[in-house]
Amino acid sequence: LAQGPATVNEPATELANESANVYSAVISQVVNKGAIVNIHVNLPPSLTCLLTRHTFDKMGLGVGQRVYLTIPPSAVSLFPRT
């Protein structure tokens, strides 16, 4: 399973879009990479989301916070197990 771009939404702006896969998750780790911030969430599976520093700061995200990941169906690809 490979996933392309996803949108991270705060609980107040949770999306209920029938054409997207929406998952509730809690941020388990935040890794500062300078202009990019990696946030790790456990659904399972464990996913890493990349955000710009500006977006991360604007959303006020942190460890323990519940977020909603929105992954459009067109961004998901399935590959046979080798």
Side-chain angles (χ1 to χ4, degrees):
L1 173 67
Q3 297 174 332
T7 302
V8 177
N9 299 291
E10 296 175 274
T13 60
E14 176 185 355
L15 299 177
N17 184 343
E18 293 180 12
S19 66
N21 302 300
V22 180
Y23 302 97
S24 173
V26 175
I27 298 173
S28 60
Q29 183 181 15
V30 174
V31 179
N32 181 356
K33 301 269 188 174
I36 300 294
V37 176
N38 293 356
I39 61 170
H40 300 271
V41 298
N42 294 313
L43 291 174
S46 179
L47 298 175
T48 300
C49 305
L50 282 63
L51 299 174
T52 63
R53 162 65 57 194
H54 173 77
T55 299
F56 178 81
D57 291 341
K58 183 177 176 182
M59 293 179 79
L61 299 175
V63 172
Q65 186 172 359
R66 180 164 302 281
V67 294
Y68 293 87
L69 307 176
T70 305
I71 305 170
S74 61
V76 178
S77 300
L78 297 176
F79 301 97
R81 188 179 295 234
T82 57

